[in-house]
């Protein structure tokens, strides 16, 4: 089984359908993401997944019902089938 180490510099966004490198991103205030900011990034309501390394992934909770594209990079890191854009960050970056 192939594994990918998660990024060491957070936060990053895994663009749906992309197998390229994660896209570095930053909260508008430079400290933590606001709910509306994340909803705009994932295109809807936000679901949170805590990973074994104590980082979190935020993604659209209705993405599968809305037929968003499979996100191979985020899915491989989380070992969960994820769709759409996924924000990967530290818990302190999300209130």
């Amino acid at each position: 089984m192939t594994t990918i180490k998660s990024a060491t510099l957070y936060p990053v966004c895994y663009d749906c359908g992309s197998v390229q490198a994660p896209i570095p991103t930053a909260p508008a205030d430079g400290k933590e993401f606001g709910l509306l900011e994340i909803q705009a990034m994932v295109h809807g309501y936000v679901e949170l997944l805590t990973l074994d390394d104590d980082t979190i992934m935020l993604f659209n909770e209705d993405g599968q019902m809305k037929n968003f594209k499979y996100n191979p990079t985020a899915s491989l890191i989380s070992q969960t089938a994820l769709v759409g854009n996924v924000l990967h960050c530290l818990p302190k970056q999300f209130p």
Side-chain angles (χ1 to χ4, degrees):
M1 179 170 124
T2 305
T3 59
I4 292 180
K5 286 248 185 215
S6 59
T8 55
L9 299 175
Y10 300 105
V12 295
C13 180
Y14 301 108
D15 188 10
C16 65
S18 174
V19 292
Q20 298 175 354
I23 303 164
T25 188
D29 71 1
K31 296 178 184 176
E32 60 185 33
F33 290 95
L35 180 59
L36 294 177
E37 192 175 3
I38 295 172
Q39 285 178 325
M41 193 178 302
V42 301
H43 306 289
Y45 295 112
V46 177
E47 186 168 340
L48 183 145
L49 174 66
T50 302
L51 303 182
D52 290 340
D53 65 356
D54 293 325
T55 61
I56 60 174
M57 285 189 163
L58 301 153
F59 53 94
N60 187 306
E61 70 178 28
D62 299 319
Q64 289 184 338
M65 289 189 318
K66 294 180 178 181
N67 294 318
F68 285 5
K69 285 184 177 180
Y70 176 72
N71 191 317
T73 305
S75 295
L76 192 58
I77 291 169
S78 68
Q79 298 184 351
T80 301
L82 298 176
V83 298
N85 294 341
V86 177
L87 175 66
H88 190 185
C89 63
L90 301 171
K92 69 181 181 181
Q93 294 171 314
F94 179 65

